[in-house]
Amino acid sequence: MVFDFNKLGLWQLVVHLLCPVALINAMIPGVDQKTWTFEIKSLETYSADENILQFDLSVRRVSRGVYAISGSITLKVDFEEDHPCYIEAVASRSSNGVSDFREIPLKMPREHLLIAINSFYKDMLMETLRECSNLPVFADKFEPPLLKGVYTLEKCQFTHDGFPNHMVEGFYKIVIFGEGYVDWSITLVSQVEVSI
């Protein structure tokens, strides 16, 4: 089953994924805590044309299982509604982190960048990035264009708080990529370790 983050509401997705876990957690004492930690192994960025889009991002470990991303995303042109800018995200898992990454059923289907800003970004990322970056923040709907400029991230922390209490050990790769006006990608690989 593939989950479409944009057709399912965030709460529907959470309920669909986490209700069974919550019921089990309620019945078994002591299982309401995370049984795993993660460590970011790599963060790679790519831009086919740095005269349009340039990345300078790095990851720093703050504490066990807590990581911060700092740096900048430089957009050198305004992205208008009629520009062909599409974005997609896929996730995969490998037991050894070297090869055999297999896609898992979590993805964001290909859609226009400005639609993704009003759905995936707003629902999943905006609150996390609100205090630590100058990326767009809006109440109802983002109105184009996405203005050129330097978008900075200053110690934006990502924890495993919003994830299930139990995950399968291994390496997880998330690739967010864009195509059209400029081709680009952000690839993040993390290792999940079971801590019990």
Side-chain angles (χ1 to χ4, degrees):
M1 179 186 304
V2 175
F3 294 104
D4 184 338
F5 286 110
N6 299 309
K7 290 182 181 171
L8 288 175
L10 178 60
W11 287 112
Q12 289 174 314
L13 179 64
V14 169
V15 169
H16 187 75
L17 290 175
L18 301 182
C19 266
V21 174
L23 289 172
I24 292 169
N25 287 349
M27 293 185 283
I28 303 173
V31 297
D32 59 343
Q33 298 176 355
K34 297 286 187 284
T35 60
W36 57 277
T37 59
F38 78 101
E39 179 178 336
I40 295 178
K41 292 297 187 180
S42 65
L43 171 69
E44 296 178 5
T45 59
Y46 164 77
S47 173
D49 188 347
E50 293 195 344
N51 291 316
I52 298 174
L53 177 65
Q54 185 175 2
F55 296 101
D56 181 17
L57 298 173
S58 63
V59 177
R60 184 171 64 87
R61 180 177 172 174
V62 176
S63 62
R64 186 169 176 84
V66 179
Y67 292 82
I69 295 180
S70 295
S72 63
I73 301 168
T74 305
L75 189 57
K76 299 182 179 179
V77 297
D78 293 341
F79 273 74
E80 303 283 353
E81 201 165 8
D82 60 349
H83 283 161
C85 308
Y86 298 94
I87 186 171
E88 187 173 351
V90 295
S92 56
R93 182 189 166 276
S94 166
S95 58
N96 61 23
V98 177
S99 61
D100 199 27
F101 273 92
R102 295 186 181 191
E103 196 169 310
I104 58 175
L106 290 173
K107 70 180 238 176
M108 182 181 72
R110 184 178 186 268
E111 62 187 6
H112 195 277
L113 174 64
L114 296 175
I115 293 172
I117 289 173
N118 279 307
S119 55
F120 180 77
Y121 170 79
K122 182 181 179 185
D123 295 339
M124 305 294 285
L125 298 174
M126 191 170 72
E127 285 305 313
T128 299
L129 299 172
R130 175 188 294 268
E131 299 298 325
C132 63
S133 78
N134 64 340
L135 287 163
V137 175
F138 49 93
D140 185 33
K141 184 178 178 185
F142 178 77
E143 295 297 335
L146 178 59
L147 297 174
K148 65 182 176 182
V150 178
Y151 294 96
T152 58
L153 291 83
E154 183 61 36
K155 298 179 182 175
C156 293
Q157 292 188 12
F158 296 88
T159 69
H160 57 16
D161 290 346
F163 290 88
N165 288 336
H166 312 286
M167 285 188 69
V168 177
E169 202 165 68
F171 292 79
Y172 290 81
K173 180 192 293 185
I174 298 172
V175 182
I176 303 170
F177 55 94
E179 60 182 9
Y181 197 69
V182 61
D183 292 351
W184 60 272
S185 66
I186 299 173
T187 303
L188 185 70
V189 176
S190 297
Q191 182 179 10
V192 168
E193 294 181 334
V194 175
S195 55
I196 58 167

Coordinates of all heavy atoms in Angstrom, one line a residue, residues 90-171:
V90 N 10.6 9.9 -2.3 CA 10.5 8.4 -2.1 C 11.4 8.0 -0.9 O 12.4 8.7 -0.6 CB 10.9 7.6 -3.4 CG1 10.0 7.9 -4.5 CG2 12.4 8.0 -3.8
A91 N 11.0 6.9 -0.3 CA 11.8 6.4 0.9 C 12.1 4.9 0.6 O 11.3 4.2 -0.1 CB 11.0 6.5 2.1
S92 N 13.3 4.5 1.0 CA 13.7 3.1 0.8 C 14.5 2.6 2.1 O 14.9 3.5 2.9 CB 14.5 2.9 -0.4 OG 15.6 3.8 -0.4
R93 N 14.6 1.3 2.2 CA 15.3 0.7 3.4 C 16.3 -0.3 2.9 O 16.0 -1.0 1.9 CB 14.3 0.1 4.3 CG 14.9 -0.5 5.6 CD 13.9 -1.3 6.4 NE 14.6 -2.0 7.4 CZ 15.1 -3.2 7.2 NH1 15.0 -3.8 6.0 NH2 15.8 -3.9 8.1
S94 N 17.4 -0.4 3.6 CA 18.4 -1.5 3.4 C 18.9 -2.0 4.7 O 19.0 -1.3 5.7 CB 19.6 -0.9 2.6 OG 20.7 -1.8 2.7
S95 N 19.1 -3.3 4.8 CA 19.6 -3.9 6.0 C 21.1 -3.5 6.3 O 21.5 -3.4 7.5 CB 19.4 -5.4 6.0 OG 20.1 -6.0 4.9
N96 N 21.9 -3.3 5.2 CA 23.3 -3.1 5.5 C 23.7 -1.7 5.1 O 24.9 -1.3 5.4 CB 24.1 -4.1 4.7 CG 23.9 -4.1 3.2 OD1 23.5 -3.1 2.6 ND2 24.2 -5.2 2.6
G97 N 22.9 -0.9 4.4 CA 23.3 0.5 4.1 C 24.2 0.6 2.9 O 24.5 1.8 2.5
V98 N 24.6 -0.5 2.3 CA 25.6 -0.4 1.2 C 24.9 -0.6 -0.1 O 25.1 0.1 -1.1 CB 26.7 -1.4 1.4 CG1 27.6 -1.4 0.2 CG2 27.4 -1.2 2.7
S99 N 24.0 -1.6 -0.1 CA 23.3 -1.9 -1.4 C 21.9 -2.4 -1.0 O 21.5 -2.5 0.1 CB 24.0 -3.0 -2.2 OG 24.1 -4.2 -1.4
D100 N 21.1 -2.8 -2.1 CA 19.8 -3.4 -1.9 C 18.8 -2.5 -1.1 O 18.1 -3.0 -0.3 CB 20.0 -4.7 -1.2 CG 18.8 -5.6 -1.4 OD1 18.1 -5.5 -2.5 OD2 18.5 -6.5 -0.6
F101 N 18.9 -1.2 -1.4 CA 17.8 -0.3 -0.9 C 16.5 -0.7 -1.6 O 16.4 -0.6 -2.8 CB 18.2 1.1 -1.1 CG 19.0 1.7 0.0 CD1 20.4 1.7 -0.1 CD2 18.5 2.2 1.2 CE1 21.2 2.2 0.9 CE2 19.2 2.8 2.2 CZ 20.6 2.7 2.1
R102 N 15.5 -1.0 -0.8 CA 14.2 -1.3 -1.4 C 13.2 -0.3 -1.0 O 13.1 0.1 0.2 CB 13.7 -2.7 -1.0 CG 14.7 -3.8 -1.5 CD 14.2 -5.1 -1.2 NE 15.1 -6.1 -1.7 CZ 14.9 -7.4 -1.8 NH1 13.8 -7.9 -1.4 NH2 15.8 -8.2 -2.2
E103 N 12.4 0.1 -2.0 CA 11.4 1.2 -1.7 C 10.4 0.7 -0.7 O 9.9 -0.5 -0.7 CB 10.7 1.6 -3.0 CG 9.9 2.9 -2.9 CD 9.5 3.4 -4.3 OE1 10.3 3.4 -5.2 OE2 8.3 3.7 -4.4
I104 N 10.0 1.6 0.2 CA 9.0 1.3 1.2 C 7.8 2.1 1.0 O 7.9 3.2 0.2 CB 9.5 1.5 2.7 CG1 10.0 2.9 2.9 CG2 10.6 0.5 3.0 CD1 10.4 3.2 4.3
P105 N 6.6 1.8 1.5 CA 5.4 2.5 1.1 C 5.1 3.8 1.7 O 4.1 4.1 2.3 CB 4.3 1.5 1.4 CG 4.8 0.7 2.6 CD 6.3 0.6 2.3
L106 N 6.1 4.7 1.7 CA 6.0 6.1 2.1 C 6.5 7.0 1.0 O 7.7 6.8 0.7 CB 6.7 6.3 3.4 CG 6.2 5.7 4.7 CD1 7.1 5.9 5.8 CD2 4.8 6.3 5.0
K107 N 5.7 7.8 0.4 CA 6.2 8.6 -0.7 C 5.3 9.8 -0.8 O 4.2 9.9 -0.3 CB 6.3 7.9 -2.0 CG 5.0 7.5 -2.6 CD 5.2 6.7 -3.9 CE 4.6 7.4 -5.0 NZ 4.8 6.8 -6.3
M108 N 5.8 10.8 -1.5 CA 5.1 12.0 -1.9 C 5.0 11.9 -3.4 O 6.1 12.0 -4.1 CB 5.7 13.3 -1.4 CG 4.9 14.5 -1.8 SD 5.7 16.1 -1.3 CE 7.1 16.2 -2.4
P109 N 3.9 11.8 -4.1 CA 3.8 11.7 -5.5 C 4.2 13.0 -6.2 O 4.2 14.0 -5.6 CB 2.4 11.3 -5.8 CG 1.6 11.8 -4.6 CD 2.5 11.7 -3.4
R110 N 4.6 12.8 -7.4 CA 5.1 14.0 -8.2 C 4.0 15.0 -8.4 O 2.8 14.7 -8.8 CB 5.5 13.5 -9.6 CG 6.1 14.5 -10.5 CD 6.5 13.9 -11.8 NE 7.2 14.8 -12.7 CZ 6.6 15.5 -13.7 NH1 5.3 15.5 -13.8 NH2 7.3 16.4 -14.4
E111 N 4.3 16.3 -8.1 CA 3.3 17.3 -8.2 C 4.0 18.7 -8.3 O 5.2 18.7 -8.1 CB 2.3 17.4 -7.0 CG 3.0 17.6 -5.7 CD 2.0 17.5 -4.6 OE1 0.8 17.1 -4.8 OE2 2.3 17.8 -3.4
H112 N 3.3 19.7 -8.7 CA 3.9 21.0 -8.9 C 4.5 21.5 -7.5 O 3.8 21.3 -6.5 CB 2.9 22.0 -9.5 CG 3.6 23.2 -10.0 ND1 3.9 24.3 -9.2 CD2 4.0 23.6 -11.2 CE1 4.4 25.3 -9.9 NE2 4.5 24.9 -11.2
L113 N 5.6 22.2 -7.6 CA 6.3 22.6 -6.3 C 5.3 23.5 -5.5 O 5.2 23.3 -4.3 CB 7.5 23.4 -6.7 CG 8.2 24.1 -5.5 CD1 8.8 23.1 -4.6 CD2 9.3 25.0 -6.1
L114 N 4.5 24.4 -6.1 CA 3.7 25.2 -5.4 C 2.5 24.5 -4.7 O 2.0 24.9 -3.7 CB 3.2 26.4 -6.2 CG 4.3 27.3 -6.7 CD1 3.8 28.4 -7.7 CD2 5.1 28.0 -5.6
I115 N 2.1 23.4 -5.4 CA 1.0 22.6 -4.7 C 1.7 21.8 -3.5 O 1.0 21.7 -2.5 CB 0.5 21.5 -5.7 CG1 -0.3 22.3 -6.8 CG2 -0.4 20.5 -5.1 CD1 -0.8 21.4 -8.0
A116 N 2.9 21.4 -3.6 CA 3.6 20.7 -2.5 C 3.8 21.6 -1.4 O 3.7 21.2 -0.2 CB 4.9 20.1 -3.0
I117 N 4.1 22.9 -1.6 CA 4.2 23.9 -0.5 C 2.9 24.0 0.2 O 2.9 24.1 1.5 CB 4.7 25.2 -1.1 CG1 6.1 25.2 -1.6 CG2 4.5 26.3 0.0 CD1 6.6 26.4 -2.3
N118 N 1.8 24.0 -0.4 CA 0.5 24.1 0.2 C 0.0 22.8 0.8 O -1.1 22.8 1.5 CB -0.6 24.6 -0.8 CG -0.5 26.1 -0.9 OD1 -0.5 26.9 0.1 ND2 -0.3 26.6 -2.1
S119 N 0.7 21.7 0.6 CA 0.2 20.4 1.2 C 1.3 19.8 2.1 O 1.3 20.0 3.3 CB -0.2 19.5 0.1 OG 0.8 19.3 -0.9
F120 N 2.3 19.1 1.4 CA 3.3 18.4 2.2 C 4.1 19.3 3.1 O 4.3 19.1 4.3 CB 4.2 17.7 1.2 CG 5.3 16.9 1.9 CD1 5.0 15.7 2.5 CD2 6.6 17.4 1.9 CE1 6.1 15.0 3.1 CE2 7.6 16.7 2.5 CZ 7.3 15.5 3.1
Y121 N 4.6 20.4 2.5 CA 5.4 21.4 3.3 C 4.6 21.9 4.5 O 5.1 21.9 5.6 CB 6.0 22.5 2.4 CG 6.6 23.6 3.2 CD1 7.9 23.5 3.7 CD2 5.9 24.8 3.4 CE1 8.5 24.5 4.4 CE2 6.5 25.8 4.1 CZ 7.8 25.7 4.6 OH 8.3 26.7 5.3
K122 N 3.4 22.4 4.2 CA 2.6 23.0 5.2 C 2.2 22.0 6.3 O 2.3 22.3 7.5 CB 1.3 23.6 4.6 CG 0.4 24.3 5.6 CD -0.9 24.8 5.0 CE -1.8 25.5 6.0 NZ -3.0 25.9 5.4
D123 N 1.8 20.8 5.9 CA 1.4 19.8 6.9 C 2.5 19.1 7.7 O 2.3 18.8 8.8 CB 0.6 18.7 6.2 CG -0.7 19.2 5.6 OD1 -1.2 20.3 6.0 OD2 -1.3 18.6 4.7
M124 N 3.7 18.9 7.0 CA 4.7 18.1 7.6 C 6.0 18.9 8.1 O 6.7 18.4 9.0 CB 5.1 17.0 6.6 CG 4.0 16.2 6.1 SD 3.2 15.1 7.3 CE 4.5 13.9 7.5
L125 N 6.3 20.0 7.5 CA 7.5 20.7 7.8 C 7.4 22.1 8.3 O 8.3 22.5 9.1 CB 8.4 20.7 6.5 CG 8.8 19.3 5.9 CD1 9.5 19.6 4.6 CD2 9.7 18.6 6.9
M126 N 6.4 22.8 8.0 CA 6.4 24.2 8.3 C 6.5 24.5 9.8 O 7.3 25.4 10.1 CB 5.1 24.9 7.7 CG 5.1 26.4 7.8 SD 3.8 27.2 6.8 CE 2.4 26.8 7.9
E127 N 5.8 23.8 10.6 CA 5.9 24.1 12.1 C 7.3 23.8 12.6 O 7.8 24.6 13.5 CB 4.9 23.3 12.8 CG 3.4 23.8 12.7 CD 3.3 25.3 13.0 OE1 3.8 25.7 14.1 OE2 2.7 26.0 12.3
T128 N 8.0 22.8 12.1 CA 9.3 22.5 12.6 C 10.3 23.6 12.1 O 11.2 24.0 12.9 CB 9.8 21.1 12.0 OG1 8.9 20.1 12.4 CG2 11.2 20.8 12.4
L129 N 10.1 24.1 10.9 CA 11.0 25.1 10.4 C 10.7 26.5 10.7 O 11.5 27.4 10.5 CB 11.1 24.9 8.8 CG 11.6 23.6 8.4 CD1 11.4 23.5 6.8 CD2 13.0 23.3 8.7
R130 N 9.5 26.8 11.3 CA 9.1 28.1 11.6 C 10.1 28.9 12.4 O 10.3 30.1 12.2 CB 7.7 28.0 12.3 CG 7.2 29.4 12.8 CD 5.9 29.1 13.7 NE 4.8 28.6 12.9 CZ 3.9 29.3 12.3 NH1 3.9 30.6 12.4 NH2 2.9 28.7 11.7
E131 N 10.6 28.3 13.5 CA 11.4 29.1 14.4 C 12.9 29.1 14.1 O 13.7 29.9 14.6 CB 11.3 28.4 15.9 CG 9.9 28.5 16.4 CD 9.3 29.9 16.6 OE1 10.1 30.8 16.9 OE2 8.1 30.1 16.3
C132 N 13.3 28.2 13.1 CA 14.8 28.1 12.9 C 15.2 28.4 11.5 O 16.3 28.2 11.1 CB 15.2 26.7 13.2 SG 14.5 25.4 12.2
S133 N 14.2 29.0 10.7 CA 14.5 29.3 9.3 C 13.7 30.5 8.8 O 12.8 30.9 9.5 CB 14.3 28.1 8.4 OG 12.9 28.0 8.1
N134 N 14.1 31.0 7.7 CA 13.2 32.1 7.1 C 12.5 31.5 5.9 O 12.1 32.3 5.0 CB 14.1 33.3 6.7 CG 15.2 32.9 5.6 OD1 15.5 31.8 5.4 ND2 15.7 34.0 5.0
L135 N 12.2 30.2 5.9 CA 11.4 29.6 4.8 C 10.0 30.1 5.0 O 9.6 30.6 6.1 CB 11.5 28.1 4.9 CG 12.8 27.5 4.4 CD1 13.0 26.1 4.9 CD2 12.9 27.6 2.9
P136 N 9.2 30.1 3.9 CA 7.8 30.7 4.0 C 7.0 30.1 5.1 O 7.0 28.9 5.4 CB 7.2 30.3 2.7 CG 8.4 30.1 1.8 CD 9.5 29.6 2.6
V137 N 6.3 31.0 5.8 CA 5.3 30.6 6.8 C 4.0 31.3 6.5 O 4.0 32.5 6.2 CB 5.7 31.0 8.3 CG1 4.6 30.8 9.3 CG2 7.0 30.3 8.7
F138 N 2.9 30.6 6.4 CA 1.6 31.2 6.0 C 0.5 30.5 6.8 O 0.6 29.4 7.2 CB 1.4 31.0 4.5 CG 1.7 29.7 4.0 CD1 0.6 28.8 3.8 CD2 3.0 29.3 3.6 CE1 0.9 27.5 3.4 CE2 3.2 28.0 3.2 CZ 2.2 27.1 3.0
A139 N -0.6 31.2 6.9 CA -1.8 30.7 7.7 C -2.7 29.8 6.8 O -3.0 28.7 7.2 CB -2.6 31.8 8.3
D140 N -3.1 30.3 5.7 CA -4.1 29.6 4.9 C -3.5 28.9 3.7 O -3.4 27.7 3.6 CB -5.2 30.5 4.5 CG -6.4 29.8 3.8 OD1 -6.6 28.6 4.2 OD2 -7.0 30.4 2.9
K141 N -3.1 29.7 2.7 CA -2.6 29.2 1.5 C -1.4 30.1 1.0 O -1.4 31.3 1.1 CB -3.7 29.2 0.4 CG -3.2 28.6 -0.9 CD -4.4 28.6 -1.9 CE -3.9 28.0 -3.2 NZ -4.9 28.1 -4.3
F142 N -0.3 29.4 0.6 CA 0.8 30.1 0.0 C 0.5 30.7 -1.3 O -0.1 30.0 -2.2 CB 2.0 29.2 -0.1 CG 3.2 29.8 -0.7 CD1 4.0 30.7 0.1 CD2 3.6 29.6 -2.0 CE1 5.1 31.3 -0.5 CE2 4.7 30.3 -2.6 CZ 5.5 31.1 -1.8
E143 N 0.8 32.0 -1.5 CA 0.5 32.7 -2.7 C 1.8 32.9 -3.5 O 2.7 33.5 -3.0 CB -0.2 34.0 -2.5 CG -1.6 33.9 -1.8 CD -2.6 33.2 -2.7 OE1 -2.4 33.2 -4.0 OE2 -3.6 32.7 -2.2
P144 N 1.9 32.4 -4.7 CA 3.1 32.5 -5.5 C 3.3 34.0 -5.9 O 2.4 34.8 -5.8 CB 2.8 31.7 -6.8 CG 1.4 31.4 -6.8 CD 0.8 31.6 -5.4
P145 N 4.6 34.3 -6.2 CA 5.7 33.4 -6.5 C 6.5 33.0 -5.2 O 6.3 33.7 -4.2 CB 6.6 34.2 -7.4 CG 6.4 35.6 -7.0 CD 4.9 35.7 -6.6
L146 N 7.3 32.0 -5.3 CA 8.3 31.7 -4.3 C 9.5 32.6 -4.7 O 10.1 32.4 -5.7 CB 8.7 30.2 -4.4 CG 9.8 29.8 -3.4 CD1 9.4 30.1 -1.9 CD2 10.1 28.3 -3.6
L147 N 9.7 33.6 -3.9 CA 10.7 34.6 -4.2 C 12.1 34.2 -4.1 O 12.5 33.4 -3.3 CB 10.5 35.8 -3.3 CG 9.1 36.5 -3.4 CD1 9.0 37.6 -2.3 CD2 8.9 37.1 -4.8
K148 N 12.9 34.7 -5.1 CA 14.4 34.5 -5.0 C 14.9 35.0 -3.7 O 14.4 36.0 -3.2 CB 15.1 35.0 -6.2 CG 15.0 36.5 -6.4 CD 15.7 36.9 -7.6 CE 15.6 38.4 -7.8 NZ 16.2 38.9 -9.1
G149 N 16.0 34.4 -3.3 CA 16.7 34.9 -2.1 C 17.4 33.8 -1.4 O 17.5 32.6 -1.9
V150 N 18.0 34.1 -0.3 CA 18.8 33.0 0.5 C 17.9 32.6 1.7 O 17.6 33.4 2.5 CB 20.1 33.6 1.0 CG1 20.9 32.5 1.8 CG2 21.0 34.1 -0.2
Y151 N 17.5 31.4 1.6 CA 16.7 30.8 2.7 C 17.7 30.0 3.7 O 18.3 29.1 3.2 CB 15.6 29.8 2.1 CG 14.6 30.6 1.3 CD1 14.7 30.7 -0.1 CD2 13.6 31.2 1.9 CE1 13.8 31.4 -0.8 CE2 12.6 31.9 1.2 CZ 12.8 32.0 -0.2 OH 11.8 32.7 -0.9
T152 N 17.7 30.5 4.9 CA 18.7 29.9 5.8 C 18.0 29.0 6.9 O 16.8 29.3 7.3 CB 19.4 31.0 6.6 OG1 18.5 31.9 7.3 CG2 20.2 31.9 5.6
L153 N 18.7 28.0 7.3 CA 18.3 27.1 8.4 C 19.4 27.2 9.4 O 20.6 27.1 9.1 CB 18.2 25.7 7.9 CG 17.0 25.4 6.9 CD1 17.4 25.7 5.5 CD2 16.6 23.9 7.0
E154 N 19.0 27.4 10.7 CA 19.9 27.6 11.8 C 19.6 26.6 12.9 O 18.7 26.8 13.7 CB 19.9 29.0 12.3 CG 20.9 29.3 13.4 CD 22.3 29.1 13.0 OE1 22.7 29.4 11.8 OE2 23.1 28.6 13.8
K155 N 20.3 25.5 12.9 CA 20.1 24.4 13.9 C 18.7 23.9 13.9 O 18.1 23.8 15.0 CB 20.6 24.9 15.2 CG 22.1 25.2 15.3 CD 22.5 25.7 16.6 CE 24.0 26.1 16.6 NZ 24.4 26.7 17.9
C156 N 18.1 23.7 12.8 CA 16.7 23.1 12.7 C 16.8 21.7 13.2 O 17.5 20.8 12.6 CB 16.2 23.2 11.3 SG 15.9 24.9 10.8
Q157 N 16.1 21.3 14.3 CA 16.2 20.0 14.9 C 15.1 19.1 14.4 O 14.0 19.5 14.3 CB 16.2 20.1 16.4 CG 17.4 20.8 17.0 CD 17.4 20.7 18.5 OE1 16.6 20.0 19.1 NE2 18.3 21.5 19.1
F158 N 15.6 17.9 14.1 CA 14.7 16.8 13.7 C 14.8 15.6 14.7 O 15.9 15.1 14.8 CB 15.0 16.4 12.3 CG 14.7 17.5 11.3 CD1 15.7 18.4 11.0 CD2 13.5 17.7 10.7 CE1 15.5 19.5 10.1 CE2 13.2 18.7 9.8 CZ 14.2 19.6 9.5
T159 N 13.8 15.3 15.4 CA 13.8 14.2 16.3 C 12.9 13.0 15.8 O 12.3 13.2 14.7 CB 13.3 14.6 17.7 OG1 11.9 14.8 17.6 CG2 14.1 15.8 18.2
H160 N 12.8 12.0 16.5 CA 12.0 10.9 16.1 C 10.6 10.9 16.9 O 9.9 9.9 16.9 CB 12.7 9.5 16.3 CG 13.2 9.2 17.6 ND1 12.8 9.8 18.8 CD2 14.0 8.2 18.0 CE1 13.4 9.3 19.8 NE2 14.2 8.3 19.4
D161 N 10.3 12.1 17.4 CA 9.1 12.2 18.2 C 7.8 11.8 17.4 O 6.9 11.3 18.0 CB 8.9 13.6 18.8 CG 10.0 13.9 19.9 OD1 10.6 12.9 20.3 OD2 10.2 15.0 20.2
G162 N 7.7 12.2 16.2 CA 6.5 12.0 15.4 C 6.4 10.6 14.8 O 5.5 10.3 14.1
F163 N 7.4 9.7 15.1 CA 7.4 8.4 14.5 C 6.9 7.3 15.4 O 6.8 7.6 16.6 CB 8.9 8.1 14.1 CG 9.4 8.9 12.9 CD1 10.0 10.2 13.1 CD2 9.3 8.5 11.6 CE1 10.5 10.9 12.1 CE2 9.7 9.2 10.5 CZ 10.3 10.5 10.8
P164 N 6.6 6.1 14.9 CA 6.2 5.1 15.7 C 7.2 4.7 16.8 O 8.4 5.0 16.7 CB 6.0 3.9 14.7 CG 5.9 4.5 13.4 CD 6.7 5.8 13.5
N165 N 6.7 4.1 17.9 CA 7.6 3.6 19.0 C 8.5 2.5 18.5 O 9.6 2.4 19.1 CB 6.8 3.2 20.2 CG 6.1 4.4 20.9 OD1 6.6 5.5 20.8 ND2 5.0 4.1 21.5
H166 N 8.1 1.8 17.5 CA 8.9 0.6 17.1 C 9.2 0.7 15.6 O 8.3 1.0 14.8 CB 8.2 -0.7 17.4 CG 7.7 -0.7 18.8 ND1 8.5 -0.9 19.9 CD2 6.4 -0.6 19.3 CE1 7.8 -0.9 21.0 NE2 6.5 -0.7 20.7
M167 N 10.5 0.5 15.2 CA 10.8 0.5 13.8 C 11.8 -0.6 13.5 O 12.5 -1.1 14.5 CB 11.4 1.8 13.4 CG 10.4 3.0 13.2 SD 11.1 4.5 12.5 CE 11.5 3.9 10.8
V168 N 11.8 -1.1 12.3 CA 12.7 -2.1 11.9 C 14.1 -1.6 11.8 O 14.4 -0.5 11.2 CB 12.3 -2.8 10.6 CG1 13.3 -3.9 10.2 CG2 10.9 -3.4 10.7
E169 N 15.1 -2.3 12.4 CA 16.5 -1.8 12.3 C 17.0 -1.8 10.9 O 16.5 -2.6 10.0 CB 17.4 -2.8 13.2 CG 18.7 -2.2 13.6 CD 19.3 -3.0 14.7 OE1 19.7 -4.2 14.4 OE2 19.3 -2.5 15.9
G170 N 17.8 -0.9 10.6 CA 18.4 -0.8 9.2 C 18.7 0.6 8.8 O 18.7 1.5 9.6
F171 N 18.9 0.8 7.5 CA 19.3 2.1 7.0 C 18.1 2.6 6.1 O 17.5 1.8 5.3 CB 20.5 2.0 6.1 CG 21.8 1.7 6.9 CD1 22.1 0.4 7.3 CD2 22.7 2.7 7.2 CE1 23.2 0.1 8.0 CE2 23.8 2.4 7.9 CZ 24.1 1.1 8.3

